[in-house]
Amino acid sequence: EILRRCTEITGDWETLADHLIRHDRLALAEMFIPEFHSTDPIPAAIKEARLCRLTKNHSRLVELLKKLEKNSKKIPPRLRDEYYYINYTYYENQSPGRADEYYKLIREPLFRHLAGIKRSDRHIYDSRFSEAAPLLERAGAFLQAAGHTREALEARSQTAKLLRAQKDFDGAL
């Protein structure tokens, strides 16, 4: 009820949804975002898809991505990079070529760096350490400075994985 009232006052439910996701209030976001599917279906589907990625609700994520793909021309410019990022992360393990197409479209620094963290995983797996390291360094610095704590921690965790792959076990601690 409080969240609904806040959006009535500000008129900006998307920022509140982003805030809940950013600050790891995923259970609240799961209750809050679906309320906007009837009034703001495309933005609500994008926010819910991002949430499904984090909560690992893959069946719902696939359902939302199919819906969004059918309506991709209706995605507002302010949400395109978020949409590209969600698709990139979805296709990264299934179809790297298709994932790369989405990666190239991402311009917004937040989503570019988040995708860079995910992309570094492929570089580490392929032993392309010199490509993974700068992605992780830039992502970690940006996310920390921007106050995205969970995501900055993900970058540090991925950096530790990179160091272990390089046999730098002391540095990985």
Side-chain angles (χ1 to χ4, degrees), residues 79-92:
L79 296 173
R80 284 192 187 131
D81 283 337
E82 188 170 1
Y83 169 72
Y84 299 148
Y85 164 70
I86 295 164
N87 274 284
Y88 171 76
T89 60
Y90 176 73
Y91 287 108
E92 176 63 15

Side-chain angles (χ1 to χ4, degrees), residues 129-158:
F129 306 133
S130 63
E131 294 176 49
L135 283 174
L136 292 169
E137 185 178 317
R138 286 191 304 264
F142 173 85
L143 294 165
Q144 190 66 41
H148 292 273
T149 309
R150 181 180 8 87
E151 292 85 354
L153 182 61
E154 187 178 339
R156 285 195 298 271
S157 175
Q158 193 70 357

Side-chain angles (χ1 to χ4, degrees), residues 72-142:
S72 63
K73 302 274 189 247
K74 297 178 183 178
I75 295 174
R78 72 183 185 282
L79 296 173
R80 284 192 187 131
D81 283 337
E82 188 170 1
Y83 169 72
Y84 299 148
Y85 164 70
I86 295 164
N87 274 284
Y88 171 76
T89 60
Y90 176 73
Y91 287 108
E92 176 63 15
N93 294 330
Q94 298 178 22
S95 174
R98 188 157 182 199
D100 287 342
E101 292 172 22
Y102 284 107
Y103 183 80
K104 291 173 188 173
L105 296 171
I106 302 169
R107 297 287 173 249
E108 187 177 322
L110 171 62
F111 295 110
R112 187 76 177 174
H113 288 300
L114 292 175
I117 294 169
K118 182 76 172 148
R119 188 176 191 82
S120 72
D121 203 40
R122 188 185 336 163
H123 294 324
I124 293 167
Y125 180 78
D126 293 339
S127 298
R128 296 189 327 232
F129 306 133
S130 63
E131 294 176 49
L135 283 174
L136 292 169
E137 185 178 317
R138 286 191 304 264
F142 173 85

Side-chain angles (χ1 to χ4, degrees), residues 32-97:
F32 174 70
I33 293 170
E35 292 184 25
F36 296 93
H37 275 285
S38 62
T39 58
D40 213 356
I42 300 298
I46 290 171
K47 299 300 178 188
E48 187 179 352
R50 185 168 161 211
L51 184 61
C52 287
R53 191 190 78 71
L54 293 170
T55 60
K56 302 192 183 326
N57 184 345
H58 298 290
S59 59
R60 179 69 177 147
L61 175 62
V62 170
E63 183 181 317
L64 290 165
L65 288 176
K66 285 179 182 178
K67 174 184 174 183
L68 288 166
E69 189 171 350
K70 291 177 187 174
N71 294 292
S72 63
K73 302 274 189 247
K74 297 178 183 178
I75 295 174
R78 72 183 185 282
L79 296 173
R80 284 192 187 131
D81 283 337
E82 188 170 1
Y83 169 72
Y84 299 148
Y85 164 70
I86 295 164
N87 274 284
Y88 171 76
T89 60
Y90 176 73
Y91 287 108
E92 176 63 15
N93 294 330
Q94 298 178 22
S95 174

